[in-house]
Amino acid sequence: MSAVILSGKDMAAELLEQQSARVDTLRLNGIHPALAVIMVGEDPASAIYVRNKERACAKAGIASQVIRLPEHTTQEELHARIEELNEDPLVHGILIQLPLPKHLNETAALTWVRASKDVDGFHVINAGHLLQGHPTVLPCTPQGILYMLKKAHVPLEGAHAVVVGRSNIVGKPLALLLLGENCTVTLCHSRTRDLASVTRQADILVAAVGRPRLITADMVKPGAAVIDVGINRVDGKLCGDVDFDAVAERAAYITPVPGGVGPMTVAMLLENTLEAACRA
Ligand code: NDP
């Protein structure tokens, strides 16, 4: 194996120490950083993600509360609960765990969160700031990916970054962030023609699709940095979108799944919560 493995787990652990120290300083100033997570319904994957976020908060010394609402919650009930948290001065960050049940409008709910308490960076105002090149609150996964690339000193300026997947939570904001770092960015999706011919041009290749082994070694330029965002379960085991073993022989850098982008997403949630607490 030739690629350097970028361990999000290790980077997140290192960040946690700094975050704990920041919490101590905030406390000395009478501020007790607090995050509220709203989870509607009982999606098993969401339950695991929420538990991970609670654990990470506890390790950093950030207070967290999880508000579990039943599957049949109406849009109005959800907004009323969000409004209570908007008005609560002891809550600095609010996170709506996605996906919401099908009958609920996610965009409306995310926009109901006060922009200054939006620790996911999904509020239209925060997304708009990013679009205009003046980011305020950055979405956690793209922010975590950029952190990993910078930490590994992967050259960004002028690099061709190919992002596969154009969701509002990963692909699109990541493309904008990389553009802000002066990468030349190509955003691919399910209708992209001849995906392999595009990915083979990538100095930085990000897979954010949700399909195991979508990215095979022949789709990767030798020496590329490959970031695997996908989370898939195959035969009960977690894996990403990248054929890890084969691609690691060709790439210069690669992130594993698990232990790559996932822990960095949680680390950036803590970072955004601390920022929100400082702003408050
Ligand atoms: P979405 O389902 O919202 O988006 C998937 C994207 O992949 C879409 O843009 C879709 O294109 C594109 N796509 C689907 N099939 C193909 C294909 N064959 N070739 C190229 N593009 C394709 O997913 P998310 O962005 O929410 O998540 C993506 C993955 O990342 C999932 O596995 C998710 O679990 C994981 N994830 C991991 C996180 C982490 O912290 N590690 C955080 C968030 C997500 P189109 O738009 O045309 O439909």
Side-chain angles (χ1 to χ4, degrees):
M1 188 177 297
S2 60
V4 172
I5 296 177
L6 302 180
S7 169
K9 201 174 156 198
D10 292 349
M11 291 186 202
E14 200 182 294
L15 266 173
L16 189 68
E17 286 182 20
Q18 298 167 22
Q19 290 164 338
S20 302
R22 271 181 86 188
V23 170
D24 291 343
T25 310
L26 282 166
R27 283 205 171 140
L28 286 174
N29 289 290
I31 300 166
H32 297 263
L35 172 72
V37 178
I38 297 185
M39 184 176 155
V40 187
E42 283 167 15
D43 178 55
S46 293
I48 295 171
Y49 297 145
V50 167
R51 208 165 45 239
N52 289 344
K53 289 168 188 171
E54 271 184 292
R55 282 196 191 130
C57 281
K59 281 188 195 160
I62 296 173
S64 68
Q65 54 168 312
V66 180
I67 294 140
R68 293 184 171 81
L69 301 176
E71 180 86 24
H72 55 74
T73 300
T74 64
Q75 194 81 34
E76 291 70 28
E77 286 166 341
L78 175 58
H79 288 185
R81 203 68 187 85
I82 296 171
E83 195 55 35
E84 282 173 28
L85 298 169
N86 281 339
E87 294 300 329
D88 186 341
L90 298 180
V91 171
H92 303 109
I94 304 171
L95 181 150
I96 314 285
Q97 183 63 40
L98 302 179
L100 290 172
K102 292 270 177 289
H103 67 280
L104 294 172
N105 180 332
E106 285 186 354
T107 310
L110 293 172
T111 304
W112 209 265
V113 173
R114 189 171 291 165
S116 59
K117 293 193 176 190
D118 164 35
V119 283
D120 254 339
F122 296 161
H123 192 287
V124 286
I125 290 181
N126 293 324
H129 284 306
L130 175 61
L131 183 70
Q132 292 195 332
H134 308 290
T136 43
V137 183
L138 290 176
C140 301
T141 304
Q143 189 183 173
I145 293 169
L146 192 58
Y147 183 95
M148 295 177 97
L149 290 170
K150 286 188 172 174
K151 186 89 182 161
H153 304 291
V154 173
L156 298 174
E157 183 148 335
H160 187 184
V162 173
V163 179
V164 189
R166 58 173 163 182
S167 72
N168 287 338
I169 63 170
V170 187
K172 272 190 224 163
L174 178 63
L176 289 168
L177 267 187
L178 292 169
L179 198 58
E181 298 292 332
N182 296 319
C183 291
T184 301
V185 180
T186 304
L187 194 50
C188 300
H189 46 78
S190 66
R191 320 287 164 86
T192 297
R193 283 195 207 126
D194 194 1
L195 182 65
S197 72
V198 184
T199 59
R200 271 197 288 268
Q201 298 172 34
D203 302 308
I204 298 167
L205 175 59
V206 182
V209 173
R211 287 201 177 196
R213 300 219 164 98
L214 176 77
I215 305 296
T216 48
D218 60 311
M219 296 169 78
V220 175
K221 180 175 171 176
V226 179
I227 307 292
D228 194 351
V229 185
I231 300 178
N232 309 292
R233 205 169 272 278
V234 176
D235 300 330
K237 279 182 71 181
L238 280 188
C239 67
D241 291 347
V242 174
D243 185 359
F244 183 87
D245 291 337
V247 171
E249 293 295 335
R250 214 171 157 86
Y253 301 93
I254 191 166
T255 64
V257 178
V261 174
M264 288 309 294
T265 297
V266 179
M268 294 303 146
L269 170 66
L270 303 189
E271 205 68 21
N272 285 350
T273 304
L274 291 179
E275 286 299 318
C278 288
R279 278 198 305 273

